[in-house]
Amino acid sequence: EVVLTQSPGTLSLSPGERATLSCRASQSVSSNYLAWYQQKPGQAPRLLFYGASSRATGIPDRFSGSGSGTDFSLTISRLEPEDFAVYYCHHYGRSPLTFGPGTKVDIK
Amino acid sequence: QVQLVESGGGVVQPGRSLRLSCAASGFTFSKSAMHWVRQAPGKGLEWVAAIWYDGSNKYYTGSVKGRFTISRDNSKSTLYLEMNSLRADDTAVYHCARSMFDNSGFDAFDIWGQGTMVTVS
């Protein structure tokens, strides 16, 4: 099973600042089968990136995904008020699929 | 529009059974692998089960193997999760989700339902 570790657990930032979220896998993720989701309270998760760096439909370009192997990151270049949420990384290469514990980005 | 709508949640006693449904619309359901993902109150996301677009393959997380069964009816564009021998730690919101590429297996999830709450108590 691929165990995903996300850091930090909470990121306290102000609008306009840059956010960098990390996701580390316990073993190499084949073909970069790594996705990122955003979830706001009371809502379903929303796909941001798949294949580590391919932006999903409708995702603003202030969001970027990168990484390979065991180390992946999600960057938000300038935080907008609507970006304050919980972000999850997700390995989907093989069963069991796994999620990281999440990083909460909250307003400082 | 493209959407998934779950139903069937509720309060159930430990050891009892429940069947969840997920009605799909706005896309060709029969071409999409489907998943169940749950989220316990205040906790993160946990993948539960997957079924290939044609039902030929099914996969489960370890904690539900032998207790939960995923199935689908492509003629009704509906996904199911039969849950038996329910335990308190199965309490969660259960979301259905779609693999984003047609006729494939494991992919990222591009469409999610709002979820249905299951409380085992």
Side-chain angles (χ1 to χ4, degrees):
Chain A
E1 173 177 329
V2 176
V3 177
L4 299 176
T5 303
Q6 291 187 243
S7 60
T10 301
L11 198 52
S12 296
L13 295 168
S14 301
E17 289 193 294
R18 181 184 185 90
T20 302
L21 288 65
S22 173
C23 176
R24 179 162 289 176
S26 60
Q27 54 191 278
S28 185
V29 175
S30 60
S31 302
N32 287 343
Y33 287 145
L34 193 287
W36 289 94
Y37 302 87
Q38 176 194 67
Q39 188 179 33
K40 297 178 182 178
Q43 296 185 17
R46 177 174 72 144
L47 177 66
L48 300 176
F49 290 91
Y50 60 95
S53 60
S54 296
R55 194 177 290 109
T57 303
I59 303 305
D61 60 8
R62 64 180 180 274
F63 290 88
S64 62
S66 64
S68 64
T70 61
D71 291 300
F72 300 88
S73 62
L74 172 70
T75 300
I76 310 170
S77 59
R78 288 180 56 86
L79 283 163
E80 297 288 341
E82 62 267 28
D83 299 337
F84 292 93
V86 179
Y87 293 83
Y88 295 95
C89 58
H90 171 215
H91 161 256
Y92 56 90
R94 63 179 186 274
S95 180
L97 283 65
T98 54
F99 288 91
T103 289
K104 183 177 182 180
V105 179
D106 65 14
I107 299 176
K108 189 173 182 180
Chain B
Q1 73 275 28
V2 173
Q3 67 175 354
L4 297 170
V5 179
E6 302 92 340
S7 61
V11 180
V12 61
Q13 293 178 331
R16 303 298 289 265
S17 300
L18 206 59
R19 188 175 87 151
L20 306 183
S21 299
C22 168
S25 59
F27 65 96
T28 306
F29 180 76
S30 61
K31 291 185 177 180
S32 297
M34 297 295 297
H35 303 259
W36 288 99
V37 177
R38 67 185 178 184
Q39 188 166 30
K43 303 297 184 182
L45 301 169
E46 181 186 23
W47 172 79
V48 174
I51 185 168
W52 259 210
Y53 65 97
D54 58 358
S56 59
N57 289 295
K58 302 177 183 181
Y59 300 87
Y60 301 91
T61 193
S63 63
V64 309
K65 277 181 187 174
R67 299 190 300 124
F68 289 13
T69 301
I70 189 170
S71 62
R72 64 191 298 158
D73 185 337
N74 285 346
S75 68
K76 296 181 178 179
S77 295
T78 302
L79 175 73
Y80 303 101
L81 185 68
E82 184 76 36
M83 304 185 294
N84 299 320
S85 303
L86 282 161
R87 311 186 306 218
D89 62 358
D90 294 318
T91 294
V93 173
Y94 284 74
H95 298 274
C96 58
R98 182 185 85 159
S99 278
M100 67 184 299
F101 293 115
D102 288 348
N103 302 324
S104 69
F106 295 135
D107 282 304
F109 305 159
D110 66 336
I111 302 171
W112 293 69
Q114 284 299 311
T116 186
M117 182 70 203
V118 173
T119 302
V120 184
S121 176

